[in-house]
């Protein structure tokens, strides 16, 4: 039996915190209920492609910067690695 | 009514009345706000929802028992009783659906005033509470994609449970009709059993039939690839 179980990791919570963006504001901007944003952040819901693109567009980032099939590395790790590479 | 007059309020106001009272500045005391917020949080957790789901089974049994008792008194009274109880259950289910889409008081405070609930003025808290009660009673559910998916999943699960349950029900119905002590009415009962079987078959085949009706033509390979 088909079951939609593939989990998609996302950075919505981090991006919201970074921009001090309330759940309701993001929800109304992308046209969903505020609870849906909460479920997305908690990893309880995998969004449709349309919603994923809308969210990425809202943050002005490519979709792969917001959603990933593999767990994201922390932003601090990535920044540190980038600096090391530049040095 | 001001907050410092807690002890002057009646038992009815302190236990029930305040839920429905028009809210103005200072209408609810700290004790009542604590109750309101506790209730708001309790209604949002899975444990409470599961408790309600479990209570639904005895509720349904009660509905059937009352209707059967009324049918013995008078068939029309049985019909009215069954219809009335079904309407009540329908309203309860509607209220639960609305409840799924309601946000907590704390989230409402952030959404509507951009501040924590505790930081709001008394009349702002009152407005939020009043709107929450009103939305809970008369609100609509905004069916976004997540809500739609949850509904579809729940309907799918209900249908999967109903399939085997219907088959067992039809088998038991036939067994009772053919083997029960109903010599005088056996042939009439067998007719109802045929109708029940037909209805069960209709319900079980319906999803496939709907798909047969709605599925678009199969797309073939595009010419550019086929050449």
């Amino acid at each position: 039996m088909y079951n939609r179980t593939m989990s998609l990791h996302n950075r919505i919570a981090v991006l919201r915190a970074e921009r001090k963006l309330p759940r309701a504001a993001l929800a109304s901007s992308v046209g969903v209920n505020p609870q849906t944003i909460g479920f997305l952040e908690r990893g309880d819901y995998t969004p449709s492609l349309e919603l994923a693109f809308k969210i990425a567009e809202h943050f002005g980032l490519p979709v792969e910067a917001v959603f990933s099939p593999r767990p994201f590395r922390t932003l601090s790790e990535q920044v540190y690695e980038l600096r090391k590479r530049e040095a | 009514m001001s907050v410092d007059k807690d002890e002057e309020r009646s038992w009815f106001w302190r236990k029930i009345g305040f839920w429905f009272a028009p809210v103005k500045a200072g209408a609810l005391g700290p004790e009542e706000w604590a109750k309101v917020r506790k209730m708001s949080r309790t209604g949002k957790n899975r444990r409470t929802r599961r408790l309600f789901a479990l209570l639904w089974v005895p509720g349904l049994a009660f509905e059937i028992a009352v209707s059967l008792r009324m049918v013995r008194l008078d068939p029309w009274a049985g019909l009215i009783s069954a219809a009335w109880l079904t309407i009540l259950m329908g309203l309860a289910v509607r209220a639960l659906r609305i409840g799924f889409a309601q946000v907590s008081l704390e989230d409402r405070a952030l959404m509507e005033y951009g501040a924590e609930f505790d930081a709001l003025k008394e009349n702002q808290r009152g407005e939020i509470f009043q709107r929450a009660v009103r939305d809970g009673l008369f609100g609509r559910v905004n069916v976004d994609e997540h809500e739609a998916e949850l509904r579809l999943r729940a309907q799918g699960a209900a249908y999967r449970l109903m399939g085997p349950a219907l088959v067992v029900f039809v088998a038991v119905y036939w067994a009772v009709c053919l083997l029960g002590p109903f010599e005088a009415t056996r042939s009439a009962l067998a007719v109802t059993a045929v109708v029940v079987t037909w209805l069960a078959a209709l319900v079980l085949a319906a999803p496939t039939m709907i798909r047969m009706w709605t599925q678009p033509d199969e797309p073939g390979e595009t010419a550019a690839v086929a050449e």
Side-chain angles (χ1 to χ4, degrees), chain B residues 111-128:
Chain B
M111 283 162 62
E112 294 177 24
Y113 293 105
E116 296 287 336
F117 191 82
D118 289 324
L120 296 182
K121 290 178 191 158
E122 184 64 21
N123 63 330
Q124 291 174 326
R125 288 187 200 183
E127 278 171 22
I128 283 180

Side-chain angles (χ1 to χ4, degrees), chain A residues 31-69:
Chain A
V32 294
N33 289 331
Q35 296 100 314
T36 300
I37 302 296
F39 285 120
L40 281 170
E41 290 180 354
R42 216 167 62 181
D44 283 351
Y45 176 56
T46 303
S48 66
L49 262 179
E50 187 189 351
L51 180 57
F53 274 99
K54 275 185 186 171
I55 292 172
E57 197 178 18
H58 180 91
F59 288 115
L61 292 168
V63 75
E64 66 271 20
V66 186
F67 295 94
S68 163

Side-chain angles (χ1 to χ4, degrees), chain B residues 199-218:
Chain B
L199 271 175
L202 189 77
V203 169
L204 292 176
T208 310
M209 291 304 125
I210 289 169
R211 198 172 156 194
M212 295 272 284
W213 188 262
T214 56
Q215 186 158 309
D217 291 343
E218 192 180 322

Side-chain angles (χ1 to χ4, degrees), chain B residues 144-157:
Chain B
D144 68 353
E145 62 168 59
H146 182 231
E147 177 70 23
E149 185 176 317
L150 286 177
R151 274 192 196 185
L152 267 178
R153 268 198 232 168
Q155 283 164 356

Side-chain angles (χ1 to χ4, degrees), chain B residues 8 12 24 26 46 68 88 98 121 123 198 201:
Chain B
E8 289 173 21
F12 181 80
K24 53 186 177 185
R46 176 179 278 193
L68 283 176
L88 281 182
I98 293 171
K121 290 178 191 158
N123 63 330
W198 178 79

Side-chain angles (χ1 to χ4, degrees), chain A residues 2-38:
Chain A
Y2 168 73
N3 201 357
R4 195 179 154 189
T5 52
M6 183 192 160
S7 64
L8 203 59
H9 301 269
N10 70 71
R11 274 185 172 140
I12 299 172
V14 176
L15 292 166
R16 265 201 327 113
E18 231 177 45
R19 292 155 204 233
K20 298 199 187 314
L21 180 70
R23 218 164 53 162
L26 177 60
S28 83
S29 158
V30 297
V32 294
N33 289 331
Q35 296 100 314
T36 300
I37 302 296

Side-chain angles (χ1 to χ4, degrees), chain B residues 113-177:
Chain B
Y113 293 105
E116 296 287 336
F117 191 82
D118 289 324
L120 296 182
K121 290 178 191 158
E122 184 64 21
N123 63 330
Q124 291 174 326
R125 288 187 200 183
E127 278 171 22
I128 283 180
F129 175 45
Q130 217 172 21
R131 271 198 289 273
V133 172
R134 199 169 51 223
D135 289 351
L137 290 172
F138 310 110
R140 286 183 176 182
V141 181
N142 177 28
V143 184
D144 68 353
E145 62 168 59
H146 182 231
E147 177 70 23
E149 185 176 317
L150 286 177
R151 274 192 196 185
L152 267 178
R153 268 198 232 168
Q155 283 164 356
Y159 199 86
R160 282 195 294 278
L161 282 173
M162 204 169 70
L166 264 180
V167 171
V168 170
F169 174 76
V170 169
V172 170
Y173 198 94
W174 271 106
V176 170
C177 289

